[in-house]
Every structure is written in C-alpha cells, then in structure tokens.
Amino acid sequence: MKPQHALNFIFGIYIFIFLTYLFGPLIIMSITAFNSAEFPSITPWECFSWRWFQEGKIAYDGQHLAGLASDWRLHDGLIKSLIIGTGVVILAVPIGMAASIVLTQVHSRLRTIFYSVSIMPVLFPGVIIGISTVVLWDRIATIGGEGFIADIGRNGIFLTILGQTCFISTYCFLIFVARLQRFDQTQEEAALDLGASQTQVFFKILIPYLMPAIASSAVIAFLASFENYNTTVFSILSDQTLTTVIASKVRLGISPAISALALVIIALTLIAAISYEILRRREDRRKKERQDLLLFEQTKDSRLQKNEKKSFKIPKSVFVILFLMVVGIFSFNQLIKNNLYGPACVTAAEEAKKSKFSEQLKLLQQNQVSDDALQEGELGGNQDYGDIFGDPNLFKDFGGFD
Amino acid sequence: MIRYWEKIYAKSENIKAYALLFPALLMVILAMASPMLLTFVTSFHTQVSMMEIDTTLTLGRYKDFFSKPVYTTLLGRSIKISFFVTLVTLITTYPLAYYIAFYVKKNKMLWIVLMTLPFWTSYLLRVFSWKVILGHKGVVNSALMALGMIEEPLGFLIYSQTAVVLTLAHAWAAFAILPLYVSLDKIDKSLLEASYDLGNSKFQTFWRVTFPLSLPGVIGAILIIFIPTVGDYVTPQLVGGTDGRMLSNMIQALFGRANNFPLGAASAVIMLFSVSLVALIVTYVTRKVSMRMS
C-alpha cells in the first residue's frame, strides 16, 4: 500500500468514527421515540408505536405520561418561545446593524475599543447575564412602585427578551461586520454625488446590500433565542419556555415524549437544510448560465454557445431515497411479522407488566410487618431511633420558620 | 425653536450619527451595561436576612469566597472541566477540519452543513440524548445487561465529570470545526508545495507550515469553547450529578434557594475575571508559540 492510500484509509476510518459520535446519539434518541416502553430505551423493545407523538399513556399507577400532542406545558412553552424569539429578532437585528455601521464610520483607533466592547456580551457566561437582568429590573420595579413599570419589570417574557438580546445582538453584529467588510464605499459616494440624501443612500444602497446579512442574522438570532437555556432559566421567572419545560422534564422524569419532540425538531432541521442546499445550487446554476450567456453575447464565439439538448441524468439522491425506502419497508415488515406493531402488541405488553406488578404487590403483602412490630423496634421501628417521635414536647418550643 | 434644532441636526454629521445610534445605545445600556454594573456593586454588599441587604461597601463576600473551600473547589473544577472539554473537542475536530479543507474537492459547503447539523437542533436535546444513552436504564446499560455482560448498571457512566466532558465536547464540536476550517482553508496551497520542494516530509510540512498557519483558528476555537463552558449550567445539572457540579450551579443556588445575592454576585464576578484571565493567558501563550515556530 502506498503511504498516500494508507493516509486516506486512516482518514476514512476516522471520519466514520467521528460521524458516528456526532450523529449516533441523535439517531439512537430518535429510535427510542417509537418504543412503547415508558423509559426511552432500545434493547428491551416492547412495541413499535406512535403513542409518544399522540396522547401518550396512562401508567398502571394512574400517572399520566403525556405524549407530544397532549402536553399543554409543551404547547404553552412553545408559544412563549416563539414570542420571545420574535421579540429578540426585532430588537437584536437593528442593534447589530447599527453597531456594525458605526464600526465602519469611527476612527481606526476607536475601532479596536469599540469592537472589543461590542463582543463583550458573548464573553459573559449566560447565567450571569440572566441574573443581572433580573436583579436590575427587580430594583427598577421596586423603585417604580405599582403600575406599568412594576408589571413589565416582573414580566418574565419581557426580561428574557432583554437578556437574550444582550448577547444575541453581538452575533448579529459579527455577521453584519463580515458583510460590511466587502462593501464598496465608492457606491455611497457616487450616490451622494448624484444628489441623493443620506437617508436615500441608507435605504437604497446600504439596506439592499445588507439584505442577505439581515436575513441570516434574523435566522441565527431566532434559533439562538429558541434554544437558549442558561440565560432564560433565570430571566423567565415564573413562566416557562420550551427549553425550560424540556429541561424540567429531562431532570425529573425523562420520557420518550422528549425523544419524539427531538425527532420532530431534527426532521424540521433536515428539511430546512436540504431545501436551503437545493435553492443554493439552483441559484448557482442560474448565475452560471447567465454568465455564460453574457460571455457568448459579448464575444459571439460559437464554441461558447450552449447546445440546448440535455441528456437526462438520474440524480444520485434518488438512489439514497430508494435505499431508505427499501430498508424502511423491510424493517416494517419484520416488525409486523414479529407482532411488534399495533395496539394488540401494546395491550399485550401492558398486560404482562400489570401481572408482574400485581405479583410483586402480592409478594409485598405476604411479607407485610404488623404495626406492633414497628412499635417495638428491631425492624427499623420507632424504638430503634430512641423513640424521638414519641416525645410529646417535640415541637413545643419550636418558634416556627422566619 | 424646532427649526433651530432642525438646522443643527442637518448641519452636524456627528449628531446625526448619534441620533441614529441612540436606540442601540439605549438598549446596550438598558440590557447590558446596567445589569452588569449592578451585579458588580451588589457583590460588595451583605445579606443580613431573607429580605434585607446591607448596602455598606465591603470586601467581605470576596473573603467568604476564598475562605470556604467549597467555592474554590468548584471554581477549580469548572476550569478543569472546561480545559478538558476544549482539549477533547480540538483533538477530535482538527483532523476533520483538515480533511474538509484539503481533501474534499467538491461540495465543501455540503460537508460544513452536515457537520453543523447537530448544532441546529436544540442544545438541551443533545444533552438529553446523552442521558438516554448513558443513563442507569439507558441504552448502553440495558444493552449490556440484555447481553448478560453485567449484572447491575454501570454507575460511572452518568452523573460524573466524565459524562459532563463527553456531553459538552459533543455539543460544542460544531463551534470548533468552523473556525478551524476557515483558517485551514485560507492557507495558500503553494506554501505547502514549496515546503515539499524544499525536502520536507508530509509530517514535517504539517508541523512546520500548516499547523502554525492554522493557529488563529485554533485560538478562536479555544476561546469559543472555553469561555461558555466554564459558565455552563445546564449540562452539569442534567448529567453531572453531585460530582460534576460546577460553579454556575452554585451561583444559581446562591441566587435561588440559598438566597445570598451578594455572595452570588461576588462568585459571578470572580468567575468572570478568572475566565478572562485564562483567555488572556491562552491567547498570549499561543501567540508566543506561533512566533517561535515561524
């Protein structure tokens, strides 16, 4: 083997491992969304079901494990996240744009200082930003007394928008700076020479030039706001956003409904990424065609003329889709064959669990200890702990909590 | 009167600029500067009782921070965990950025989009996916138990510092790939050819030419990962357990249940300063190293 080939081989293996590491957790999580068991897992596979996307289930102990469609907390959080995201976009994009325009105008020595001040918020840990916002507005609300100021000062959504804007506007700022660095200042000067006012220059030249940056910074601002947790968890106060709902679910009881939610979000991301890529390619091709045409018209060189007949080529992506379909049909077939799909399977699994549960209950009832035995001690009863709870004066001198 | 102001407004470019800037400036002051300042001032106060705060300025909270071992331990642990996260992320992503920059000829953009795809899904869900995998009833443990390789779930997988490092390194990979790729892609290929012509081997070329030239990207990646991970709060809370708890969790507790705002503010300020210090040291050292190399 040539050393070149060996290197390529090692790279190939490495990339495979890395991609597994990058996507493996997400794929495994997505698969667990279809397992009907209450705990997200793969190996004790009960049944293939859609229940975590729908109404969830009521456990045998009466606890309701909500699915995606029936969880009002998630819906509530989602709406609040959307409101906050919109608010952040409205505030952060103009701020970032204004700051970036200032950066191009100020003197070169001031520029370094201004730049470092502008990117400061990114360096602050999000926790501190959230806490500071809450502390400040609590003061303002206290000073302002009752009424409007107190209302907005203690409104979680308002505080979250402010707190997130603080560092998200910096992301927007960086995007605008990157775009403005390639801006041709002579365009502005030409417009001014031709008699345009400053306002006209701003709206007819600068804004159209910045349009792609405006779009991408709006998208990034919205996504960053949507998935922020560190700042939001403090500034949201008593309200809940989608991320804080998810966090409380992840911490307290992790259920496959979260996997289902993750799968939905991943699917949306994938669709967005693919459509973006398709649009970008189409745009590239159109631009190239236009350039070719222009070149041909200028030179009249017949070799540059495009011959119109196009041979039909099967795009490669079709094979991928076909492969996925075949795998899907095959595995679904396997599921049906092994009775692992459908309501019958789910009820069977529930029955099995219920009977196991009642067996354990019976076992517990058999081993039950009588009340008298508990009084006496030996078995972890009252006597074993020096009979502290038998003392009638136990809470007599207790003044209560401050 | 109004006309007078209009005249001034039309005449002076500076005033016009400030007028345009005013909303942004107001926002920066309202959302950014004043909360920070208030936190800074609060750190010199004293919590007397539940509701009361004594506003005489004192350094007592900073003394508290450094006299109680809990806080310094947590600060040290935060920095240690972030250091390992940065190291792991750099080591795992550098070869990949290198591959995309030098070996991929077509569809570079597609690769970049693919690498950053997990970043677009929610950060919390990525943490959750690790919990699903590493948890006591998680995929790894239940698979090993089903195969009969272990009797009881492996306890060290989750709720440990290792779990925190692994989760964070996975979550921040995309942030490291981008700056590394940009700095590697910018390298002039003729420099590499010159290096080969002068008799350097592949490894020597990498070590003497490619790596020093990619150092700006490396510094960028280090800062981008290190700074937010020191202050990270949700990952240690979800997968860290008691052993993997970090300083931000303590700060949160001080502002919440422990109800000691001044001490919490002091911890926040100290964290901020130590992060800035480490960031400065990293930048300084790498710059020195890159100067010596070139």
Side-chain angles (χ1 to χ4, degrees), chain A residues 22-40:
Chain A
L22 206 59
F23 291 103
L26 298 178
I27 293 170
I28 288 174
M29 178 172 60
S30 307
I31 295 172
T32 61
F34 294 105
N35 190 353
S36 67
E38 297 93 46
F39 201 85

Side-chain angles (χ1 to χ4, degrees), chain A residues 97-99 101-106 114 198 202, chain B residues 8-25:
Chain A
M97 189 160 80
I101 292 171
V102 172
L103 189 73
T104 58
Q105 303 292 335
V106 292
F114 187 78
Q198 287 279 5
F202 181 72
Chain B
I8 287 189
Y9 179 78
K11 251 189 198 162
S12 166
E13 287 292 315
N14 274 343
I15 290 181
K16 225 178 234 176
Y18 283 118
L20 278 174
L21 257 183
F22 181 70
L25 224 57

Side-chain angles (χ1 to χ4, degrees), chain A residues 262-277:
Chain A
L263 182 59
V264 170
I265 291 179
I266 291 169
L268 287 177
T269 318
L270 265 179
I271 291 168
I274 289 170
S275 40
Y276 169 77
E277 182 68 19

